[in-house]
Amino acid sequence: MCGIFGYIGKLDADSFLIEGLKNLEYRGYDSAGVAIVDNGKINVVKRAGKVSELKSELLKNKLAGTLGIAHTRWATHGLPTELNAHPHTDIDKKVTLVHNGIIENYLELKKEYNLKVISEADTEVIAALLAKINGKDNLEKLKKTCELLKGSYALAVIFSNEPNIIYLAKKESPLMVGESQDKILISSDANAFRKYCKNFYILKNNEFAKISDKKIEFFNKNKKINKQTNKFLNTFNFQNKNKYLMQDEILQTPDAIRETAQFFENFKDIKNYFKNIDKIYLVACGTAYHSCLFGKKYLDFLNVPIFAEIASEFKYSKPLITKNTLCIFVSQSGETADTISCVKKCKCKTLAITNVPNSSITFACKKTILMKAGWERAVASTKAYSCQLLIFYLLKCLLKEEKPKTKTLVSDAKKYLKTLNIKALALKALSYEKIMFIGRQGDYITAKESALKLKEISYINCIACPSGELKHGTLALVDEKTLVILISTQKSLKVKNDLTKKEIEARGGTCLIASPEEGADIKFPSLSRDLMPIISILPFQALACEVSILKGYNPDKPRNLSKSVTVE
Ligand code: AGP
């Protein structure tokens, strides 16, 4: 949610900033802007719309200068207009800054300090406050301002009286600094500068940085501090071949599975962490929550109570936590605010399952299992979901001391994706007004995830329902304008599912069966019960993507959503 990028080097900053923003566009893409310092003068250009709008403007009217900050926004306070876009400045242009996060008390601060602002954005209040606050130098002013802010922030700031320096501040919103021989790069996601830097620094909460072309200095509230650099983990070179990232990311699932399974070998000690636990809470949002629903099924042999919880609800519940409770937090990005806020209330064993090393959730939890799905940038989570299920399956095998039966999983997935042709189904789906995904047991979870995918990128009104529950109310929705996709992977449930199909057809609805059986409308490969959900989601991810494209949308950047939801 919102991306920050910064550059200090020897070459013009504009192309680095645009490249950085393009890499960060998955975090927000409704407006963008840059501030570049040219001979001591700070020039700001902002545009509503995607980063490409800003890029065109900078191609027409180039900004010179070798130091700059940039931002791609996902609107929280105020419409996605040019006025509300970052960078923001105070009225006298003493301070120019970009911000990720939310300032909860911005209206109180505005009133208390009588701040003059012209936009609706909470960020402008920070700039106005920073320009007004007294301090012996800019660092002290920044520290004093941050003490007054309630909420979350990653800030990159340029002061007009010190235009060769970028100051940083961080609380609850990620911020990293990368260093190479001839340049320093700043970003809210280290992947955005990975191409240029081998090492990078991660700011922790309440830390600050002062960066010039000569040095990087770090501070906490009281003093200057030394920080260790971090190295990027080696990652497999995931190929991009298609027009849209989501198409690529679905096709990368087999490689992501292989990489994740191999990397899991590093986390075998986690077995000890499961000793003497009295219960498990699995907490996450959206797609990651659906993987928790499967997690509960994979781990149910442990014979302890297991609860799968939606993070934004769990936060307000009263979980029965003891020192022997294990809370597992699943998050592809590792930055989801709803999920991270739950970690704080769990004074017990905490384990993160995430795709992003050094993400906020890895610092919040006592233990971490990393997936290796590769960078997932399309807003709709795909390959990471399959890897989350795989981790739960591998955990099951580890705890049961069984050998994982994954020998042919990667080749099965590859083969399956090669033969999968979803276009006809996508065209058919478009001719219906309503779409339902139904299933029993694990297939109902796949139905939920399939419905979420279709909703979020094709904007089709679509729901998931347990097959057996249909007749208790939802069947009323079924008519000739309804397409029902019945997911049926378990032989033992076939008879019941066939009855459900008849119920739907008797009401004029169309019911397609998705199953490993010959003659199925949507055919799955034959896989064990444990491995099936890792693969059975693939046709529905592909369906959502295809429908979105057929409707003329960009599946990577759906309206109203952002990849990494860093606000609660
Ligand atoms: C996935 O397609 C969604 N865009 C969304 O539900 C996502 O899974 C959710 O916001 C959680 O994200 P996380 O895994 O990064 O925590």
Side-chain angles (χ1 to χ4, degrees):
M1 221 167 221
C2 297
I4 288 178
F5 204 80
Y7 171 89
I8 306 182
K10 297 198 182 344
L11 302 172
D12 273 346
D14 56 350
S15 55
F16 289 98
L17 295 179
I18 291 295
E19 184 187 351
L21 289 188
K22 277 262 159 218
N23 282 337
L24 292 170
E25 222 178 356
Y26 74 95
R27 296 178 75 94
Y29 36 78
D30 58 36
S31 52
V34 294
I36 297 179
V37 179
D38 185 16
N39 278 322
K41 184 167 183 290
I42 307 168
N43 296 309
V44 175
V45 174
K46 313 199 266 190
R47 281 291 172 272
K50 302 214 164 70
V51 173
S52 51
E53 306 281 334
L54 178 70
K55 186 179 173 183
S56 314
E57 176 56 29
L58 291 177
L59 284 175
K60 268 190 264 154
N61 298 306
K62 184 175 166 62
L63 287 188
T66 58
L67 178 149
I69 53 177
H71 191 266
T72 174
R73 178 169 183 251
W74 190 89
T76 52
H77 292 77
L79 294 171
T81 58
E82 196 171 310
L83 186 66
N84 289 331
H86 303 212
H88 281 278
T89 55
D90 64 297
I91 226 108
D92 299 317
K93 306 219 170 346
K94 287 195 224 159
V95 174
T96 303
L97 58 81
V98 291
H99 163 226
N100 284 357
I102 285 200
I103 304 305
E104 288 159 11
N105 60 338
Y106 79 108
L107 289 175
E108 289 91 316
L109 289 169
K110 187 177 152 202
K111 200 165 160 209
E112 194 180 332
Y113 289 86
N114 191 22
L115 303 172
K116 302 262 174 309
V117 293
I118 52 169
S119 76
E120 299 156 279
D122 54 344
T123 302
E124 196 189 351
V125 166
I126 314 177
L129 186 58
L130 199 41
K132 199 162 200 179
I133 218 105
N134 290 321
K136 70 173 185 323
D137 55 25
N138 287 331
L139 181 65
E140 189 177 287
K141 285 182 196 168
L142 183 59
K143 286 184 180 181
K144 279 187 171 174
T145 300
C146 287
E147 258 165 42
L148 297 170
L149 304 177
K150 286 200 184 120
S152 57
Y153 51 82
L155 290 170
V157 189
I158 308 174
F159 292 88
S160 59
N161 65 354
E162 223 179 349
N164 299 326
I165 309 276
I166 298 177
Y167 284 92
L168 306 179
K170 131 109 203 175
K171 190 181 157 211
E172 310 296 356
S173 220
L175 198 54
M176 337 260 164
V177 182
E179 197 180 8
S180 76
Q181 258 185 350
D182 58 352
K183 58 179 114 23
I184 296 166
L185 296 159
I186 296 155
S187 181
S188 36
D189 179 346
N191 279 314
F193 55 57
R194 187 184 177 125
K195 185 172 144 194
Y196 298 107
C197 308
K198 284 202 179 78
N199 301 319
F200 64 99
Y201 298 96
I202 301 166
L203 267 81
K204 292 204 178 124
N205 281 343
N206 304 313
E207 286 184 351
F208 303 85
K210 181 179 176 184
I211 305 173
S212 69
D213 60 347
K214 300 203 173 46
K215 60 178 174 187
I216 306 173
E217 295 170 281
F218 293 102
F219 306 85
N220 63 19
K221 279 183 188 165
N222 310 313
K223 57 178 192 317
K224 195 168 165 181
I225 52 170
N226 289 320
K227 283 183 77 69
Q228 302 285 330
T229 55
N230 300 267
K231 282 197 186 322
F232 286 101
L233 284 180
N234 287 334
T235 55
F236 175 76
N237 189 12
F238 287 93
Q239 295 294 315
N240 286 356
K241 294 180 188 146
N242 293 283
K243 183 166 178 200
Y244 295 108
L245 291 167
M246 186 176 175
Q247 295 171 309
D248 285 329
E249 289 170 4
I250 295 169
L251 292 173
Q252 288 163 3
T253 303
D255 292 325
I257 289 174
R258 186 196 55 245
E259 294 292 302
T260 298
Q262 279 170 7
F263 201 55
F264 186 75
E265 296 296 309
N266 296 303
F267 300 102
K268 290 204 157 161
D269 285 353
I270 206 72
K271 194 175 172 189
N272 299 325
Y273 209 49
F274 280 74
K275 277 186 188 148
N276 304 322
I277 52 172
D278 61 5
K279 66 183 90 59
I280 301 177
Y281 285 99
L282 300 159
V283 183
C285 306
T287 291
Y289 165 68
H290 294 153
S291 78
C292 289
L293 291 172
F294 267 117
K296 178 171 153 63
K297 289 196 178 291
Y298 283 118
L299 299 179
D300 65 0
F301 72 93
L302 285 169
N303 282 326
V304 295
I306 305 181
F307 309 92
E309 304 274 345
I310 292 174
S312 54
E313 291 293 314
F314 180 72
K315 206 162 31 188
Y316 305 109
S317 69
K318 287 192 185 144
L320 299 167
I321 288 179
T322 71
K323 70 177 182 355
N324 289 328
T325 301
L326 171 63
C327 291
I328 303 181
F329 300 89
V330 183
S331 174
Q332 185 286 130
S333 63
E335 299 295 347
T336 300
D338 282 329
T339 309
I340 293 168
S341 69
C342 293
V343 184
K344 288 173 195 151
K345 83 184 254 172
C346 299
K347 309 272 178 264
C348 59
K349 296 180 169 199
T350 53
L351 167 65
I353 298 177
T354 181
N355 193 31
V356 182
N358 297 310
S359 53
S360 301
I361 208 152
T362 65
F363 296 117
C365 289
K366 291 175 186 146
K367 303 268 178 198
T368 295
I369 298 178
L370 283 177
M371 314 186 301
K372 272 229 172 177
W375 199 6
E376 195 186 67
R377 282 191 289 169
V379 164
S381 187
T382 54
K383 56 179 178 170
Y385 173 71
S386 291
C387 289
Q388 286 160 358
L389 302 195
L390 177 69
I391 293 281
F392 279 119
Y393 169 65
L394 294 173
L395 262 177
K396 170 182 175 169
C397 297
L398 178 73
L399 298 170
K400 279 186 106 174
E401 297 184 354
E402 281 177 8
K403 200 170 172 315
K405 298 190 179 85
T406 48
K407 209 173 147 207
T408 60
L409 185 60
V410 175
S411 55
D412 286 346
K414 269 200 177 137
K415 233 185 282 161
Y416 183 52
L417 280 168
K418 262 200 188 122
T419 56
L420 191 64
N421 187 349
I422 220 73
K423 186 107 182 217
L425 178 62
L427 284 166
K428 190 178 176 87
L430 278 177
S431 61
Y432 290 87
E433 223 167 64
K434 291 163 275 179
I435 299 185
M436 281 182 200
F437 287 91
I438 63 170
R440 289 167 200 265
Q441 294 292 299
D443 293 335
Y444 168 53
I445 307 172
T446 306
K448 280 168 81 72
E449 175 56 10
S450 305
L452 175 64
K453 283 290 94 95
L454 194 60
K455 263 185 277 198
E456 74 175 318
I457 59 169
S458 75
Y459 323 142
I460 288 179
N461 197 344
C462 137
I463 57 165
C465 182
S467 306
E469 187 65 7
L470 210 56
K471 57 189 175 298
H472 297 288
T474 311
L475 197 56
L477 289 177
V478 173
D479 56 21
E480 53 293 335
K481 293 178 203 129
T482 317
L483 173 65
V484 183
I485 297 180
L486 196 166
I487 306 171
S488 174
T489 63
Q490 291 176 50
K491 264 203 179 122
S492 59
L493 297 171
K494 186 178 177 323
V495 178
K496 288 261 164 60
N497 283 334
D498 287 347
L499 273 175
T500 307
K501 180 175 161 76
K502 288 211 168 75
E503 280 167 12
I504 294 160
E505 288 170 346
R507 271 80 188 175
T510 304
C511 181
L512 300 179
I513 301 272
S515 113
E517 304 263 312
E518 277 316 315
D521 301 298
I522 301 148
K523 175 100 169 60
F524 299 131
S526 295
L527 290 165
S528 70
R529 199 187 215 172
D530 275 343
L531 298 181
M532 182 61 93
I534 300 173
I535 303 301
S536 61
I537 190 60
L538 295 174
F540 307 121
Q541 293 170 342
L543 175 69
C545 189
E546 193 66 45
V547 170
S548 170
I549 295 168
L550 285 172
K551 287 184 83 178
Y553 303 133
N554 176 347
D556 296 341
K557 297 188 171 79
R559 68 185 184 200
N560 309 341
L561 296 180
S562 149
K563 179 73 178 161
S564 159
V565 187
T566 52
V567 293
E568 284 176 42

